[in-house]
Amino acid sequence: MLIINCSKILSKQAGISKQSVDKDKLPERYGPFYFDQPIDHFSSNQTTFKHRYWANTDAYKPGGPVVLYNAGETPADGRSYYVVNSTMAELARKLNGIIIVMEHRFYGKSMPGPTFSAEYLNTLNTKQALEDMASFITDLKLPNLDVELPPAPETKYIVYGGSYSGNLASWMRQKYPDLVFAAVPSSAPVQMSYNYYQYYDPIRKYGPKQCIHALRSVILYVDHVLFSPIGQKAALKKRFGAEDLEHDDDFAELLSYPLGLWQDMTPAKNPFVDDFCSIFDGTTSLQEQVDAYGNYIKSVIKKACDEDETVNACLDTHDPRSKMYTDETDESRAWFWQVCTEYAYWQTGAPIWRPTIVSRKLDAAWFQRQCPLMFGEHQVPKRPIWREINEEYEGWHASLDRVFWIDGEWDPWRTLSVQSDDAPNRIDWDEDAKYAVLPEAVHHWDEQDFFVSDSVSEAIKNTQDDVYQAIKKWIDQADREARHQRTTSSDKYIYQYQSPYSV
């Protein structure tokens, strides 16, 4: 799941949620294993780090494929269970293949450096991450497989991923077509955006009407006060329990917190409606709605901030001495580095000519200002190179064969996917690709967080079956073509992988 913003609230709650994960111990035969990965693939210095991964080879039969999943922007400990319980594991089993979960560099225990300072994070970028996967595919030796796995492309690699990990899946198919046979990107926001106010459009469009109406009314009132030269800002902030929060943009970001609950929806739970929208039940006036929103934010602050610190000390992002900027051991800095240097994805209030459910005080400058404070003015670009990323990987204009794109209709990130309402119409494109938009679904619901469950909808089950059928068809077709080539040609060749980024 892509991190919604850079607030201290989300950082603290993310830490709590990680600690609360309680799963049965994964059998040791599945890992973790470690792969010697170069810290910098594009340097003559080939110092390596231990790159962590897990593998399930139980269903493998000679000729079977490898389903490879990069865990993306989170420690892979929790996702290691996908090797035994996930739609990907089920896909590998049906195909007599192997399922591998690999950790992304600078997350979990796959650390090329001892801290998250700019000195070490300078090798955390898209090209290095993709080359990690290519190097892994090329040199893989599985310790829990008692036969030798033929190299790619003889062994067909299917790269699976959701969200940012879905970006990596599509980009691997694009940049390494000789190594990656097929890809399944789910909820993949491949079109980078700097002022990404469209993130909130699906919430405004598909959220409960009464809730969205109340939310828009409160935010309109809040902005009337914040942008007014004679507005009673202190009185307004007091109604939300944040009277001492000095900066208006920090206050605006605080108020955007509950909108992140939309992305947290699953087929089994709806925290946006149950935990947030329910606060407006029974309210009829603007003042009642402001008070309801205010009481909700007060409870959020109480959970996020320590009893002995002020709200300003807790939530202020303007102080360069803040621990959020000086603590180089904070693992949340890794994704912050990626958005500061490459992707942006700054989720902001809408421009004045569009309706908004987020204060317009929350602008790209709020996000951008934090980058040099965290990493140093000369360590990060003045703006992320999001345009260059779109040019290099073609954004939602990319046309790829043997790719199955999946999105949720209500997913905020679909607004940057190849199936966005603003993306090019692909109906006449000459490509062997598949597409699915799951009705009323949010962020990579096709896997329900990748775990197999009997509670998923028929649409999700049908999509999972369609993925299997499509990949099986592609594999069978490729095998027939390979047999035909062997019978019509006696030429022999040796396949040698070469990075597309090689000079």
Side-chain angles (χ1 to χ4, degrees), residues 224-237:
H224 175 75
V225 175
L226 295 181
F227 284 95
S228 172
I230 57 173
Q232 299 297 314
K233 295 183 182 180
L236 171 69
K237 293 177 181 179

Side-chain angles (χ1 to χ4, degrees), residues 268-442:
K269 64 176 183 176
N270 190 335
F272 181 79
V273 172
D274 298 338
D275 299 343
F276 175 61
C277 283
S278 60
I279 69 172
F280 296 117
D281 291 348
T283 61
T284 57
S285 68
L286 173 61
Q287 294 307 312
E288 289 176 333
Q289 291 164 350
V290 172
D291 287 339
Y293 205 158
N295 289 333
Y296 177 87
I297 294 298
K298 287 177 183 177
S299 68
V300 170
I301 292 173
K302 187 176 181 180
K303 293 177 182 178
C305 300
D306 298 332
E307 291 184 5
D308 59 347
E309 66 178 345
T310 66
V311 175
N312 195 66
C314 175
L315 301 178
D316 175 61
T317 65
H318 291 255
D319 184 359
R321 299 165 298 178
S322 171
K323 185 179 179 181
M324 68 179 291
Y325 299 130
T326 60
D327 183 6
E328 295 183 345
T329 65
D330 185 350
E331 62 184 20
S332 68
R333 291 168 63 95
W335 179 246
F336 199 9
W337 171 271
Q338 291 190 260
V339 292
C340 280
T341 56
E342 293 191 312
Y343 307 139
Y345 291 138
W346 305 144
Q347 296 152 25
T348 61
I352 58 173
W353 59 88
R354 294 175 62 103
T356 188
I357 53 176
V358 177
S359 170
R360 293 186 172 93
K361 282 287 185 176
L362 182 58
D363 55 16
W366 182 85
F367 296 91
Q368 195 60 55
R369 171 180 46 77
Q370 298 178 51
C371 296
L373 291 178
M374 185 165 289
F375 300 110
E377 181 179 359
H378 302 294
Q379 303 299 324
V380 292
K382 289 186 177 181
R383 284 192 174 190
I385 59 168
W386 61 279
R387 287 191 176 92
E388 288 89 335
I389 296 294
N390 282 338
E391 181 178 354
E392 177 71 28
Y393 302 100
E394 302 182 54
W396 56 31
H397 297 274
S399 179
L400 303 170
D401 291 331
R402 296 202 296 263
V403 175
F404 201 123
W405 302 92
I406 307 172
D407 286 285
E409 180 188 12
W410 292 2
D411 184 6
W413 294 101
R414 185 169 72 88
T415 55
L416 295 181
S417 79
V418 298
Q419 299 186 95
S420 167
D421 295 340
D422 298 322
N425 189 323
R426 294 170 172 253
I427 191 168
D428 295 325
W429 287 24
D430 183 18
E431 59 180 12
D432 187 8
K434 300 291 184 180
Y435 301 89
V437 176
L438 300 174
E440 301 184 4
V442 189

Side-chain angles (χ1 to χ4, degrees), residues 418-478:
V418 298
Q419 299 186 95
S420 167
D421 295 340
D422 298 322
N425 189 323
R426 294 170 172 253
I427 191 168
D428 295 325
W429 287 24
D430 183 18
E431 59 180 12
D432 187 8
K434 300 291 184 180
Y435 301 89
V437 176
L438 300 174
E440 301 184 4
V442 189
H443 206 47
H444 52 68
W445 273 22
D446 57 300
E447 299 88 8
Q448 193 183 1
D449 287 337
F450 292 115
F451 283 95
V452 176
S453 171
D454 293 332
S455 65
V456 299
S457 69
E458 287 302 313
I460 294 174
K461 291 179 180 178
N462 291 339
T463 299
Q464 293 168 349
D465 186 61
D466 290 344
V467 169
Y468 165 71
Q469 296 295 342
I471 292 178
K472 182 69 165 58
K473 178 182 176 181
W474 289 332
I475 290 175
D476 291 344
Q477 181 180 355

Side-chain angles (χ1 to χ4, degrees), residues 23 34 48-49 64 140 171 249 282 289 294 325 349 421 469:
K23 297 181 181 293
Y34 294 88
T48 61
F49 70 96
L140 180 61
W171 293 339
D249 53 0
Q289 291 164 350
Y325 299 130
D421 295 340
Q469 296 295 342

